[in-house]
Amino acid sequence: MEFDLSWLLLGLPLAFFLGWAASRFDLRQWRMENRQAPKAYFKGLNFLLNEQQDQAIDAFIEAVQNDPDTSELHFALGNLFRRRGEYERAVRVHEHLLSRADLSRTDRERAQHALALDFLKAGLLDRAEAALQKLEGTPFENQARLALLAIYERSRDWPQAAAIAQRMDQAGQGRFNTRQAHYLCEDALSLAAKKAVPEALELLAQARRIAPEAPRAYIEAARLLAQQGQHDLACDTLAQLADIAPSHLALAALPWAESARASQRVAETLQRLEASYQLVPSLDVLEALVMLSEAQGASEATARERYVQHLEREPSLVAAARWIAGEQLAHDQFHPQVQRALDHAAKPLTRYRCAACGFEAKQYFWQCPGCQSWDSYPAKRVEEL
Ligand SMILES: [Zn+2]
């Protein structure tokens, strides 16, 4: 009994000492590791600030290896990979983050968003769509819906795009009724191409109900009606356009003049277009006025005098070229060459230009093929801008 007690007296301090030493050792090692992780992290940060992305990635990988639980380092690394176009590696980092059971909800949503961005940048639209759909109900919902809208528009999936736009409209994330009207117009054009004209006209009527102030549905409907020989109805539709969106009348002035001629409504239409021209002296409305003046019985020379009157208001090369085309010159044998040179110079001035990106095109676009913006083209020729 005495023997056991002495061992116990000796053993207790020893055990205490060993325990203390072990704890000191662990603490020292832990501190060392902890010191190493920030060191590698700051090294990476330094490289990043010096635009040395390769070295930054090496340093971050080292930091991540030292401390695999640090989500911030994973985010930094994943973003770096994405910025460098290494999408596969970015996806791996973010998927690894998502597979961790200990990840907080905020970080999980952040990782899901980062993963969606990786897929979007990589052009993997199917996978991006699935990743974005998982962001419903998170703080990234707004951005995710906008990105989904862009995907559906790119793939011309108008019903899906309309569903998202409607959801955003209802959630108060902006007014999307004009956009929805565009989707209906796109659907209507597809139907019209398949000869389903009544269905197309119904969609255009629906578009006008959703966004009565948006000009496109009136213009598309008038075009379809004119193609069907229903010029009277086409004139009525364009008269509505003149009331609702006079700024876009230029886009439909010539078709209106043609329908007016076909439906014996020349005088009335001439008056409407004249009123519009007095407010905004548009080149297209001018063309329509020349056409209708002739249809009303004016001689070609008298009708073309409108071009000269236009030149008194606006120094326009396009109007000058149109006027000279019908004139007899003193040396008329040189007229074709002179006309060709004038038309060549005037041609770029008759294009339309996107106000958002400057993309120019011969035809008018409701969605810019350059920057994908909607309604970014003013309804004016380059010369009139
Ligand atoms: Zn553009």
Side-chain angles (χ1 to χ4, degrees), residues 33-235:
E33 277 173 5
N34 244 9
R35 261 203 304 274
Q36 269 171 2
K39 200 175 156 195
Y41 175 74
F42 285 123
K43 214 163 77 185
L45 202 60
N46 195 29
F47 283 130
L48 203 58
L49 291 172
N50 290 324
E51 310 250 319
Q52 293 169 283
Q53 294 188 351
D54 280 328
Q55 290 91 329
I57 283 176
D58 289 340
F60 281 138
I61 287 176
E62 187 191 332
V64 165
Q65 278 165 352
N66 286 336
D67 194 354
D69 296 334
T70 313
S71 51
E72 284 306 325
L73 286 176
H74 281 80
F75 280 119
L77 198 56
N79 288 346
L80 255 180
F81 282 142
R82 190 196 314 126
R83 268 175 47 194
R84 284 171 54 83
E86 296 183 46
Y87 303 121
E88 226 179 288
R89 295 175 89 182
V91 165
R92 264 210 307 276
V93 170
H94 293 130
E95 277 180 341
H96 169 73
L97 264 176
L98 280 170
S99 70
R100 273 173 42 187
D102 63 326
L103 204 65
S104 71
R105 191 180 154 180
T106 317
D107 279 350
R108 183 168 301 280
E109 290 165 355
R110 220 174 122 197
Q112 186 63 47
H113 179 239
L115 187 64
L117 290 181
D118 298 339
F119 290 139
L120 267 181
K121 289 273 179 188
L124 302 168
L125 297 188
D126 285 358
R127 298 183 74 181
E129 185 187 342
L132 288 166
Q133 279 165 347
K134 287 182 188 161
L135 289 167
E136 278 286 313
T138 72
F140 299 100
E141 188 180 73
N142 258 4
Q143 292 171 45
R145 282 176 175 176
L146 280 172
L148 274 173
L149 205 58
I151 289 178
Y152 294 140
E153 284 181 3
R154 252 167 83 178
S155 50
R156 304 182 69 77
D157 187 344
W158 307 117
Q160 288 263 46
I164 292 276
Q166 196 180 5
R167 222 180 297 160
M168 293 180 84
D169 212 319
Q170 282 166 355
Q173 290 169 357
R175 287 292 282 152
F176 284 87
N177 61 332
T178 312
R179 197 79 80 87
Q180 281 172 285
H182 276 304
Y183 300 154
L184 287 168
C185 288
E186 294 286 347
D187 268 339
L189 291 185
S190 309
L191 283 174
K194 293 176 200 155
K195 310 272 179 237
V197 177
E199 291 83 351
L201 285 170
E202 176 45 42
L203 285 188
L204 292 171
Q206 204 179 321
R208 294 200 294 276
R209 281 195 296 275
I210 288 179
E213 73 292 349
R216 186 180 180 182
Y218 297 88
I219 296 172
E220 307 283 15
R223 185 163 36 216
L224 272 184
L225 288 166
Q227 276 170 14
Q228 299 296 303
Q230 294 176 277
H231 292 288
D232 214 24
L233 278 177
C235 282

Side-chain angles (χ1 to χ4, degrees), residues 354-359 368-373 376-377:
C354 171
C357 74
F359 187 92
C368 175
C371 67
Q372 314 299 318
S373 303
S376 58
Y377 280 79

